[in-house]
Amino acid sequence: MRILIIEDEAPLLERVAAQLRAQGYAVDTATNGRDGLYCGQEYPLDAAVVDLGLPDLSGIDVIRRWRSGGQRFPVLILTARGRWQDKVEGLEAGADDYLVKPFHMEELQARLRALIRRTGGWTQAVLCCGPVALDTGAQQLTLEGQVVELTAYEYKLLEYLMLRAGTVVSKTELTEHLYEEDADRDSNVLEVLVGRLRRKLDPGRDLNPIETLRGRGYRFRLERSNA
């Protein structure tokens, strides 16, 4: 999942970015409103964390311009302004959630996970498709109740596909959402990851959970058991 953080307090920005990266997110950052606005317009984001009191352009204006321009990724406001009037203004501008500083990273991460799940039509932390269950909180995969070990990138790839179960996802979309802007992207790596996931998800069960559509991409084909 690819997250944008717009925050002008450098120590806080670095701390939040580092902890989100440690959780497997691809993170883009900006320290002012104009740069953040551009990133949201140009990058394929899964969510954004936006401070309100930004240089050059306020967080409220950034969110309003995104929404008027058609950007629909979820936005979490992170700010020291705790008045209810500020919360209302942020939500009316198009934000989806609001977290007041100081905050706990665990709460920020939980709120981001919930926003991303809802974008894909999921309301529960555990994504279930047939015998496959992915716990997005614990970042754990089980197959017919048995834990299956995944590497960090195998997990990220499976989570993205399962959140969009039934939808065709191109290789370009996958690389854009799994890697940061300056990362070295190799489509062959995706093919290797998909191959490893298939072997782990379908050891002799003939499930064929990840379908390849030639020239179009991949689709997680097992039907949702919950949402």
Side-chain angles (χ1 to χ4, degrees):
M1 298 299 161
R2 191 167 176 181
I3 308 293
L4 170 65
I5 307 170
I6 314 178
E7 170 60 62
D8 64 330
E9 296 180 34
L12 177 60
L13 175 63
E14 292 170 5
R15 178 169 66 89
V16 173
Q19 295 198 37
L20 289 179
R21 288 186 177 113
Q23 289 296 308
Y25 292 99
V27 181
D28 299 295
T29 62
T31 57
N32 63 73
R34 293 201 180 279
D35 289 346
L37 174 66
Y38 173 83
C39 291
Q41 291 171 333
E42 299 298 325
Y43 297 170
L45 302 175
D46 293 294
V49 178
V50 181
D51 186 18
L52 292 185
L54 295 168
D56 298 336
L57 195 66
S58 75
I60 293 291
D61 287 335
V62 169
I63 296 167
R64 283 181 178 146
R65 294 192 189 188
W66 280 342
R67 296 312 190 216
S68 65
Q71 282 75 34
R72 293 291 174 258
F73 52 81
V75 175
L76 171 66
I77 289 176
L78 183 63
T79 183
R81 302 177 188 178
R83 299 186 314 145
W84 68 265
Q85 294 94 334
D86 294 315
K87 296 179 182 180
V88 169
E89 185 181 15
L91 295 171
E92 291 290 347
D96 300 274
D97 202 355
Y98 201 109
L99 188 59
V100 177
K101 302 173 186 176
F103 62 93
H104 294 284
M105 271 302 302
E106 293 81 1
E107 181 178 4
L108 172 64
Q109 292 167 10
R111 287 174 181 265
L112 280 175
R113 287 194 298 269
L115 290 174
I116 292 170
R117 285 198 311 270
R118 289 171 194 153
T119 301
W122 297 87
T123 59
Q124 300 183 35
V126 180
L127 315 180
C128 293
C129 294
V132 179
L134 192 69
D135 187 330
T136 59
Q139 295 194 352
Q140 185 178 75
L141 168 67
T142 55
L143 180 62
E144 294 183 342
Q146 299 299 311
V147 174
V148 178
E149 296 296 330
L150 298 177
T151 67
Y153 272 96
E154 288 170 355
Y155 173 84
K156 290 165 68 172
L157 175 58
L158 180 60
E159 180 187 34
Y160 195 86
L161 290 174
M162 287 188 70
L163 283 168
R164 291 152 184 79
T167 301
V168 179
V169 181
S170 70
K171 289 183 179 179
T172 299
E173 180 179 346
L174 281 170
T175 55
E176 286 179 338
H177 286 263
L178 296 183
Y179 299 99
E180 296 178 17
E181 187 63 22
D182 57 353
D184 183 21
R185 306 174 184 187
D186 185 347
S187 63
N188 292 327
V189 173
L190 271 183
E191 294 175 8
V192 171
L193 289 173
V194 169
R196 293 202 316 231
L197 275 176
R198 283 183 174 134
R199 290 190 290 273
K200 291 183 177 183
L201 291 170
D202 196 13
R205 291 176 173 82
D206 198 28
L207 291 173
N208 188 24
I210 302 176
E211 181 182 12
T212 299
L213 293 95
R214 188 175 299 276
R216 297 169 61 195
Y218 302 104
R219 175 168 56 200
F220 196 86
R221 60 180 294 274
L222 301 184
E223 293 186 4
R224 302 184 184 198
S225 305
N226 72 340

